[in-house]
Amino acid sequence: MKLYNTLSSSVETFLPQEKNVVKMYVCGITPYDEIHIGHGRCYVIFDVLRRYLQYKGYKINYVQNFTDVDDKIINKAKELNKHPSEISQHYINSYYEIEKKLNITPAKIYPKVTEHIDDIIISIENIIKKGFAYVTTTGVYFDTSKFKNYGKLSKKNLDELQAGSRIEVDETKKSPLDFALWKFSKQNDIIFWESPWGNGRPGWHIECSVMSMKYLGETLDIHGGGMDLIFPHHENEIAQSESLTGKNFVNYWVHNGFVTVNQQKMSKSLGNIFALKDIFEIYDPMIVRLFLISQHYQKPLDFSIQEVEQFKNVYQKLVNFNEEIKERIKNSEPKTGINEEVVKYINVLINEFETAMDDNLNTSSAMAVLHKFISYVNKNISWIDKTTLNYCYTKFLLLVEEIFGIKVDLSYEIPEIVQKLVSQREIARRNRDFETSDKLRAQIFELGYIVEDTLTGPKVKKRI
Ligand SMILES: [Zn+2]
């Protein structure tokens, strides 16, 4: 498989350090507000990468953090008169909910900053000992002039960076580029920890260096995140980690592109940040997931309700195909042997799918192959035998559910309450009590399901 590495600015063949294991770290959220469509893109993209690598036979050790101490959390806590941990826990929970709805594979571990203060302090002590940091009256700072490769990820040279950096408020720093490893607390700070240098809390970047290396080792195979994190966050992670270990911190830096809204950058001031929980009021999360992987991950993705709307039909097509093929398998006659010709063509398509995904995770081309697959089977479904159809169905589920993470087989998900209403309705219908039957149908609809009467009995489908 080939992946674009931001560090080398080129597409490289992916080779993990260990033969069968991939050590992967993706920067997690700062839990102070609703999870939005931009977050959704990042975590879905890295989930597809992870699922695909798993399909290729790797075991994935995936770590994603929560930045659960930050000015934004503290400010919100003050505003609402709550403890910062209440705020962060609330949004961490809502992250988990969104993650589940989007069918994102959970991380192996979700380290939190507040649970790693001791590790962070030890690392800062070591960075100071090695001569890469200094203490001032406001905090402990990383001395960027001491790290000779500073700027290697963002491809910026120090002069350029210095010229471009904003006028610094903090006069105690040697250079405006130097960044805080530990910030001393100010009066009235509601959250701080003791440290050898004074009470305070960690700077933002140090947590990712410390927590990623703690759980994955000194060199990671893949470090991911949104493009906006390249500078300064990831540049600073490299400086901290490599000054500590003297080793290469990350072999493949993978960054996803922005989500724009009606061609504009998302921002608080424009009021165009779309929370996923609000989008899910309109669209099934699987439709949103389809939209999020529709474009190559490095390109910008433009969000609008009309854009997502198009994927409603795409999703319906996948769900219908799943229903159709299952029905055919149930009703078709078994034959001995398997149709070699069909199998051969399906395997050609699987190869095409893999070629697309191997080419720097080209999900949009791979999606086109999936549609080709569906058209082919649909065209020939009337004569393909049971065994061969079963083969096609297994491959279809592999591509759509296992790799893309789009749940299409919804039958097993019908909740008990809906099933109960369906049987009550069936009884009413048989008794020709159409008033009750219509009422029950409306109730079923309210719960998000549609009931259809077929020759073989009622059929329930999820409302899309
Ligand atoms: Zn990070």
Side-chain angles (χ1 to χ4, degrees):
M1 180 182 199
K2 291 196 157 140
L3 272 178
Y4 182 85
N5 187 351
T6 310
L7 188 63
S8 66
S9 308
S10 63
V11 177
E12 294 176 21
T13 301
F14 175 70
L15 275 176
Q17 303 159 81
E18 278 174 60
K19 205 170 154 236
N20 299 315
V21 182
V22 178
K23 297 172 182 173
M24 190 168 170
Y25 183 89
V26 175
C27 291
I29 58 154
T30 300
Y32 77 102
D33 210 345
E34 298 302 341
I35 320 303
H36 58 67
I37 186 83
H39 296 127
R41 184 181 196 195
C42 173
Y43 302 118
V44 164
I45 287 295
F46 286 102
D47 183 46
V48 172
L49 174 58
R50 187 178 164 189
R51 284 166 177 271
Y52 187 60
L53 289 170
Q54 214 160 324
Y55 163 71
K56 300 218 113 189
Y58 296 109
K59 184 179 170 286
I60 320 291
N61 280 343
Y62 182 98
V63 177
Q64 187 178 311
N65 66 309
F66 286 117
T67 302
D68 66 340
V69 60
D70 180 273
D71 283 338
K72 294 186 215 94
I73 300 172
I74 294 167
N75 290 341
K76 193 144 193 172
K78 280 183 187 160
E79 212 178 281
L80 301 173
N81 207 9
K82 285 185 171 168
H83 191 269
S85 64
E86 270 179 87
I87 302 293
S88 60
Q89 198 51 55
H90 172 81
Y91 291 108
I92 286 173
N93 291 345
S94 81
Y95 173 81
Y96 288 141
E97 260 173 56
I98 297 280
E99 184 184 76
K100 193 160 181 238
K101 284 189 175 156
L102 277 174
N103 199 25
I104 296 169
T105 322
K108 192 178 165 197
I109 182 160
Y110 298 91
K112 293 178 191 162
V113 185
T114 53
E115 289 167 3
H116 292 80
I117 299 294
D118 290 346
D119 298 299
I120 289 172
I121 289 174
I122 292 168
S123 292
I124 298 174
E125 277 184 315
N126 287 332
I127 296 175
I128 297 174
K129 255 186 234 158
K130 288 178 187 257
F132 288 96
Y134 56 89
V135 187
T136 78
T137 49
T138 57
V140 182
Y141 294 93
F142 189 93
D143 189 340
T144 48
S145 69
K146 294 276 169 68
F147 185 70
K148 78 173 194 306
N149 286 325
Y150 194 74
K152 72 172 173 178
L153 183 71
S154 52
K155 313 291 175 310
K156 293 178 180 180
N157 67 47
L158 288 185
D159 297 337
E160 221 183 295
L161 282 175
Q162 242 153 0
S165 66
R166 286 177 297 155
I167 298 157
E168 276 298 322
V169 190
D170 192 343
E171 294 288 325
T172 69
K173 292 201 298 186
K174 290 186 192 166
S175 153
L177 291 179
D178 296 353
F179 56 90
L181 299 172
W182 187 264
K183 298 193 246 188
F184 292 148
S185 36
K186 300 183 189 100
Q187 262 180 345
N188 304 328
D189 267 1
I190 49 176
I191 187 163
F192 58 82
W193 290 266
E194 284 174 13
S195 84
W197 320 283
N199 292 349
R201 59 188 164 93
W204 170 30
H205 319 293
I206 189 70
E207 69 183 82
C208 284
S209 286
V210 171
M211 301 194 293
S212 65
M213 294 198 290
K214 173 165 181 164
Y215 295 103
L216 296 169
E218 291 176 339
T219 301
L220 321 178
D221 293 308
I222 297 174
H223 190 319
M227 246 171 59
D228 51 327
L229 296 182
I230 296 174
F231 188 84
H233 186 51
H234 290 163
E235 195 70 66
N236 293 350
E237 279 187 39
I238 293 178
Q240 295 161 156
S241 306
E242 297 190 357
S243 65
L244 270 171
T245 67
K247 291 179 188 159
N248 192 36
F249 173 45
V250 172
N251 287 340
Y252 301 87
W253 280 97
V254 182
H255 293 101
N256 67 280
F258 291 116
V259 175
T260 53
V261 173
N262 296 318
Q263 315 290 341
Q264 277 182 307
K265 204 175 174 241
M266 275 199 297
S267 76
K268 274 241 146 101
S269 56
L270 287 170
N272 62 356
I273 298 178
F274 281 80
L276 285 164
K277 78 172 178 39
D278 296 334
I279 302 171
F280 294 166
E281 295 279 314
I282 315 172
Y283 295 111
D284 185 288
M286 290 300 101
I287 297 174
V288 179
R289 186 169 170 119
L290 262 175
F291 162 72
L292 291 170
I293 62 172
S294 62
Q295 180 72 274
H296 188 268
Y297 76 92
Q298 285 182 289
K299 289 187 187 153
L301 178 70
D302 195 49
F303 171 83
S304 67
I305 294 295
Q306 297 92 302
E307 284 292 331
V308 182
E309 180 71 28
Q310 300 173 27
F311 291 90
K312 207 169 153 180
N313 288 338
V314 180
Y315 185 51
Q316 188 73 65
K317 189 176 153 188
L318 298 175
V319 171
N320 290 351
F321 178 73
N322 179 74
E323 285 293 309
E324 171 80 8
I325 193 166
K326 263 173 58 182
E327 196 71 21
R328 286 276 176 174
I329 290 169
K330 214 164 74 187
N331 299 324
S332 61
E333 290 299 316
K335 267 189 194 158
T336 44
I338 193 160
N339 189 312
E340 296 293 346
E341 204 186 314
V342 174
V343 169
K344 210 167 128 191
Y345 187 64
I346 292 294
N347 289 345
V348 167
L349 292 178
I350 303 273
N351 273 335
E352 268 181 44
F353 183 94
E354 284 183 18
T355 307
M357 294 293 275
D358 283 344
D359 179 18
N360 191 21
L361 205 73
N362 195 337
T363 49
S364 57
S365 296
M367 187 63 78
V369 180
L370 178 65
H371 289 296
K372 216 160 124 185
F373 182 114
I374 294 173
S375 302
Y376 171 75
V377 178
N378 264 336
K379 215 164 72 191
N380 299 293
I381 204 161
S382 58
W383 62 266
I384 305 180
D385 63 276
K386 197 179 191 118
T387 318
T388 312
L389 269 184
N390 252 320
Y391 180 82
C392 298
Y393 186 46
T394 315
K395 294 298 175 189
F396 168 69
L397 287 183
L398 173 79
L399 304 186
V400 76
E401 286 204 333
E402 233 177 282
I403 299 177
F404 279 159
I406 309 284
K407 284 190 274 180
V408 289
D409 194 15
L410 310 173
S411 52
Y412 55 87
E413 278 190 359
I414 295 164
E416 219 172 298
I417 168 104
V418 176
Q419 284 175 22
K420 229 183 217 163
L421 293 172
V422 170
S423 24
Q424 279 172 16
R425 181 181 167 273
E426 189 55 15
I427 293 166
R429 214 173 64 89
R430 283 190 192 164
N431 294 331
R432 308 191 65 80
D433 178 1
F434 295 117
E435 200 184 316
T436 310
S437 141
D438 284 349
K439 255 189 216 158
L440 287 163
R441 180 201 285 274
Q443 273 186 45
I444 295 164
F445 188 84
E446 274 297 299
L447 290 166
Y449 293 84
I450 296 169
V451 58
E452 278 170 13
D453 300 310
T454 71
L455 289 173
T456 50
K459 230 168 122 183
V460 194
K461 273 189 192 164
K462 200 170 173 191
R463 184 153 55 92
I464 291 167

